[in-house]
Amino acid sequence: MKLKSTELHPLMQEYLHELHVLRQLSGHTLKAYGLDLSDLQNFALEDSVDLLKVSNAHVRRWAGRLHSKEKSSKSIARALSAWRGWYDWLTEKDARRDARAGKVTSNLVANPVDDVKAPKRLKSLPKALSVEQALTLVNQAVKEAEEQKDLETVRDAAIIDLLYSSGLRLSELLGIDVMQSKDRHQESAGWLDWDAAEVTVLGKGGKRRSVPVGGPAMKSLLAWRELRDASSYAEESIALFLSATGKRLSPRTVQARLRSLAIRAGLPTHVHPHMMRHSFASHVLQSSQDLRAVQEMLGHASIASTQIYTSLDFQHLAQAYDKAHPRAKAGKG
């Protein structure tokens, strides 16, 4: 049967009908499957291949064409799933041909989509602020703290400064105490060494690490400690960062305060605490090119986890090249 590219094969229509009636798939899913089966049919028409005589080699070639059309790994995986499902249905239908008055529906021996896998999904790069954006955010926090001088704004400036200065996870930051506890029954998860300008935290896997704290961040932290120690809550908790009620600060509060601060700073993106960690790693790597040092400061068990920031570094270099090099845009436009 010769088909037009816009006309879906009767057996494909029958398959979609069964999915609708027996498996009760949603209209959205059926439409997606229909489009995927249409792609399969069009590839077969282009290569003059009978749909019922498609081989494993054909499927691999057509999956490659989907990839060349810049289809995502997720889309290709869904297409292969739709194709595999149809051919599975065909082989089962073929096996039941004796029960259907001897009518042979296909000559398939095996599913041609078996063992064909979609390309691996590329790991998305972590979102980091540019150096200018990070400084804008920190400067906004410090400016508000200097102008308002209240507990919350001064505390927020210390938090933002420390996140960007030392690349801490939010859980690590919130576990920091004003000083290391001497009570063996209440061991500190983390603490600040004010003289050494160094913070010690408890990271993933129960591993401790110490990270230096920059001068500007220490200034913000000292300003916060002065207000904190003068508050009525100072003796009730050893936690460094306290809420308005004197409790150890919650993750949700930090997230909300940072989001609000970013809006006031005019940043065009949603900012969350982990973005400050990504920004720290990316910017230190841009300056130092020392991957091992960044790995240690982030507390990554494997260098592979840190290497993703080299992609961000390359992205930064590419953008700088496009802006600065006199021949970067040669031939464009």
Side-chain angles (χ1 to χ4, degrees), residues 180-232:
Q180 186 177 9
S181 173
K182 304 296 183 181
D183 185 351
R184 63 186 181 90
H185 298 295
Q186 192 181 357
E187 186 179 4
S188 297
W191 60 87
L192 256 166
D193 185 327
W194 299 90
D195 295 327
E198 189 174 82
V199 62
T200 298
V201 294
L202 187 65
K204 287 186 176 180
K207 293 183 178 179
R208 288 200 185 280
R209 72 180 189 283
S210 295
V211 187
V213 181
M218 282 302 301
K219 183 179 178 181
S220 293
L221 286 163
L222 286 165
W224 161 242
R225 189 179 71 170
E226 185 177 345
L227 276 185
R228 180 198 176 282
D229 290 352
S231 73
S232 58

Side-chain angles (χ1 to χ4, degrees), residues 8-172:
L8 205 58
H9 194 291
L11 288 171
M12 289 180 172
Q13 293 180 25
E14 187 179 344
Y15 172 61
L16 291 173
H17 178 71
E18 284 198 16
L19 290 180
H20 173 61
V21 174
L22 300 181
R23 290 178 55 185
Q24 298 185 328
L25 296 186
S26 69
H28 177 76
T29 301
L30 288 170
K31 182 180 179 180
Y33 271 38
L35 291 172
D36 291 331
L37 292 174
S38 180
D39 282 339
L40 171 64
Q41 178 175 286
N42 290 336
F43 286 141
L45 283 169
E46 289 170 10
D47 290 0
S48 300
V49 177
D50 189 327
L51 271 171
L52 306 183
K53 296 180 181 178
V54 168
S55 69
N56 187 268
H58 291 129
V59 174
R60 290 181 185 277
R61 185 191 312 155
W62 298 338
R65 285 186 196 171
L66 289 175
H67 189 261
S68 68
K69 290 181 178 181
E70 297 187 352
K71 294 278 188 179
S72 68
S73 297
K74 184 177 180 181
S75 295
I76 297 172
R78 190 199 66 199
L80 289 172
S81 176
W83 299 357
R84 188 179 296 110
W86 184 60
Y87 280 114
D88 276 341
W89 176 82
L90 280 179
T91 52
E92 291 171 7
K93 190 176 181 70
D94 201 25
R96 299 193 302 267
R97 63 185 180 274
D98 291 339
R100 298 176 65 100
K103 182 180 178 182
V104 179
T105 56
S106 78
N107 296 312
L108 290 169
V109 176
N111 191 326
V113 192
D114 282 350
D115 301 324
V116 182
K117 296 179 180 178
K120 290 183 179 179
R121 296 184 191 181
L122 293 174
K123 288 185 177 179
S124 57
L125 292 178
K127 291 183 179 179
L129 299 172
S130 67
V131 173
E132 293 77 13
Q133 288 174 330
L135 291 177
T136 295
L137 184 66
V138 173
N139 289 338
Q140 177 70 26
V142 171
K143 178 186 174 185
E144 291 182 4
E146 291 174 346
E147 290 175 350
Q148 300 177 33
K149 295 183 172 62
D150 63 277
L151 278 169
E152 289 190 333
T153 55
V154 174
R155 180 201 64 199
D156 291 350
I159 287 174
I160 305 306
D161 236 338
L162 182 55
L163 282 173
Y164 184 49
S165 173
S166 303
L168 304 182
R169 299 179 179 93
L170 180 56
S171 59
E172 295 169 346

Side-chain angles (χ1 to χ4, degrees), residues 245-256:
T245 58
K247 306 294 182 183
R248 190 179 292 269
L249 205 58
S250 72
R252 187 166 294 181
T253 298
V254 177
Q255 291 161 354

Side-chain angles (χ1 to χ4, degrees), residues 228-243:
R228 180 198 176 282
D229 290 352
S231 73
S232 58
Y233 302 123
E235 295 181 3
E236 297 178 18
S237 175
I238 195 173
L240 175 60
F241 296 114
L242 301 175
S243 69

Side-chain angles (χ1 to χ4, degrees), residues 282-326:
S282 177
H283 301 166
V284 171
L285 189 59
Q286 285 173 21
S287 301
S288 70
Q289 299 297 311
D290 192 337
L291 198 61
R292 288 290 179 186
V294 174
Q295 178 192 1
E296 285 186 27
M297 286 188 283
L298 291 176
H300 285 161
S302 168
I303 193 72
S305 300
T306 317
Q307 282 174 329
I308 193 168
Y309 293 105
T310 61
S311 297
L312 286 177
D313 186 33
F314 177 79
Q315 200 174 62
H316 162 78
L317 292 173
Q319 290 169 351
Y321 176 86
D322 283 342
K323 287 181 180 178
H325 198 282

